[in-house]
């Protein structure tokens, strides 16, 4: 590693012919080490763009500590434009943390990322709605680990500053849950969706990264203004029970009451296969918008 400056790294994945593009920025002064990852899901474009801009814009002369940015965690899903899964093994990498060094491609990648995360004091994993998903920006924090890890993760989330915060331990195999269990303060931040490089979502994620750097004392900046953040302590999903055509009646940002009809699935003839009802009362945080739906696919999630 260099003493100070900015260097492009290739992060090799043992057992795979795969090198992930990454940047290390080493500040003039010592300080914390922050890991930023993007492209765990290859269709979540604002995340990938925000990570790239951080790598371009952050000047080592202004930095205390080290920032490591992994630009594209699952290149195969990015280039194949595949939502959720890595086409190398058909697995959703964000269900396979902390990974397995002897496993399939996704498990090897997530295992390598976890060992990288252990070399850092904080981890921001950037996401958004996938190619067929709409969402309102929110941050996920896990309370599955030790109280001190949860507290520091919550501080990261509040610093990042997206308007909604979901505190949950439920999404097993996710980066932020595996990190919490390993004692690494971490957040998963989501903005953008529907396969768009949405400028506002990019700037929300980029701004969040700056705020985290200020909050950790890694760059100078005015004290962070407290933001109004709505906290949810439950994150209820529902899934398709049949493959067919999906007609959502509500979308991300809409309020929903538990049991309320929020969409339906029909077969190609138009015959009803499933009435979809809200899995909780609160705000719909993401909503699948593609007509095509497969049995078992997520449809929407309600934060309560
Ligand atoms: Zn994602």
């Amino acid at each position: 590693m260099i003493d100070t400056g900015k260097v492009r790294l290739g992060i090799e994945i043992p057992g795979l012919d795969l090198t992930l593009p990454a940047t290390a920025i080493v500040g003039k002064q010592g300080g914390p080490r922050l890991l930023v990852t993007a492209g765990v899901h290859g269709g979540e474009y604002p995340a990938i763009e925000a990570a790239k801009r951080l790598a371009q814009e952050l000047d080592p002369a202004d930095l205390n500590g080290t920032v490591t940015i992994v630009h594209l965690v699952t290149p195969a899903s990015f280039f194949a434009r595949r939502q959720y899964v890595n086409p190398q093994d058909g697995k959703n990498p964000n269900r396979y943390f902390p990974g397995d060094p002897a496993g399939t491609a996704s498990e090897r990648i997530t295992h390598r990322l976890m060992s990288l995360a252990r070399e850092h004091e904080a981890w921001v994993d950037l996401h958004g709605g996938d190619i067929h998903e709409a969402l309102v920006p929110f941050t996920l924090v896990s309370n599955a680990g030790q109280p001190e890890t949860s507290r520091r993760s919550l501080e990261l989330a509040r610093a990042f500053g997206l308007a909604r915060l979901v505190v949950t331990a439920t999404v097993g195999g996710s980066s932020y849950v595996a990190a919490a269990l390993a004692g690494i303060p971490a957040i998963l931040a989501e903005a953008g969706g529907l396969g768009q490089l949405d400028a506002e979502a990019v700037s929300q994620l980029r701004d969040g990264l700056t705020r985290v750097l200020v909050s950790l004392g890694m760059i100078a900046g005015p004290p962070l203004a407290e933001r109004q953040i709505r906290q949810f302590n439950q994150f209820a999903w529902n899934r398709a029970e049949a493959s067919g055509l999906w007609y959502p009646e509500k979308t991300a940002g809409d309020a929903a009451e538990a049991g309320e009809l929020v969409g339906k699935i029909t077969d190609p003839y138009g015959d009803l296969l499933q009435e979809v009802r809200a899995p909780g009362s609160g705000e719909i945080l993401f909503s699948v918008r593609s007509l095509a739906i497969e049995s078992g696919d997520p449809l929407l999630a309600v934060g309560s």
Side-chain angles (χ1 to χ4, degrees):
M1 188 57 79
I2 48 174
D3 288 340
T4 181
K6 192 182 295 195
V7 61
R8 292 178 182 177
L9 306 171
I11 296 181
E12 292 182 9
I13 308 300
L16 295 181
D17 181 18
L18 177 62
T19 303
L20 305 182
T23 301
I25 306 166
V26 182
K28 271 194 166 158
Q29 311 288 330
R33 292 163 296 180
L34 171 69
L35 174 64
V36 176
T37 51
V40 168
H41 294 135
E44 299 173 0
Y45 302 142
I48 294 164
E49 180 66 13
K52 186 204 78 181
R53 290 191 193 173
L54 177 69
Q56 289 177 321
E57 292 164 6
L58 187 58
D59 185 340
D62 299 333
L63 179 67
N64 304 317
T66 300
V67 180
T68 307
I69 300 157
V70 183
H71 295 266
L72 202 48
V73 170
T74 317
S77 81
F78 177 77
F79 291 111
R81 302 187 199 91
R82 282 288 296 278
Q83 65 271 34
Y84 301 142
V85 302
N86 178 356
Q88 291 174 293
D89 58 10
K91 289 179 176 170
N92 178 345
N94 209 31
R95 299 293 175 272
Y96 287 92
F97 286 93
D100 178 352
T104 65
S106 295
E107 294 167 300
R108 286 170 193 251
I109 292 169
T110 53
H111 185 267
R112 180 70 189 88
L113 275 197
M114 279 304 292
S115 42
L116 187 64
R118 287 192 186 89
E119 297 167 12
H120 295 77
E121 280 82 46
W123 181 5
V124 177
D125 189 23
L126 299 172
H127 284 250
D130 216 319
I131 291 168
H132 62 315
E133 285 174 341
L135 59 70
V136 286
F138 62 93
T139 305
L140 286 161
V141 165
S142 172
N143 53 13
Q146 296 294 321
E148 177 61 11
T149 309
S150 301
R151 189 186 66 73
R152 290 173 59 198
S153 298
L154 268 174
E155 280 178 6
L156 285 176
R158 295 198 177 284
F160 199 93
L162 295 179
R164 297 166 191 81
L165 169 61
V166 182
V167 180
T168 168
T170 52
V171 187
S174 289
S175 57
Y176 68 104
V177 176
L181 294 171
I184 305 160
I187 62 172
L188 189 156
E190 306 239 24
L194 297 173
Q196 304 291 305
L197 186 57
D198 178 73
E200 191 182 347
V202 174
S203 88
Q204 286 173 319
L205 295 175
R206 178 67 187 87
D207 174 59
L209 292 168
T210 295
R211 291 172 54 96
V212 163
L213 288 166
V214 171
S215 79
L216 294 172
M218 297 176 73
I219 59 172
L224 299 180
E226 273 285 318
R227 292 201 172 158
Q228 285 284 358
I229 296 176
R230 183 177 178 191
Q231 182 169 329
F232 303 94
N233 296 310
Q234 284 174 5
F235 192 38
W237 298 35
N238 58 10
R239 292 181 181 273
E241 292 163 7
S243 297
L245 284 60
W246 162 232
Y247 298 94
E249 291 179 13
K250 294 218 167 186
T251 193
D254 288 344
E257 290 289 325
E260 176 186 359
L261 187 70
V262 288
K264 60 189 177 189
I265 298 172
T266 75
D267 67 14
Y269 302 100
D271 292 340
L272 184 67
L273 296 175
Q274 183 186 349
E275 283 188 334
V276 177
R277 297 188 177 276
S281 297
E283 185 177 4
I284 296 177
L285 299 183
F286 78 75
S287 164
V288 167
R289 307 308 295 174
S290 65
L291 181 63
I293 206 79
E294 252 194 318
S295 182
D297 281 350
L299 296 169
L300 54 86
V302 175
S304 304

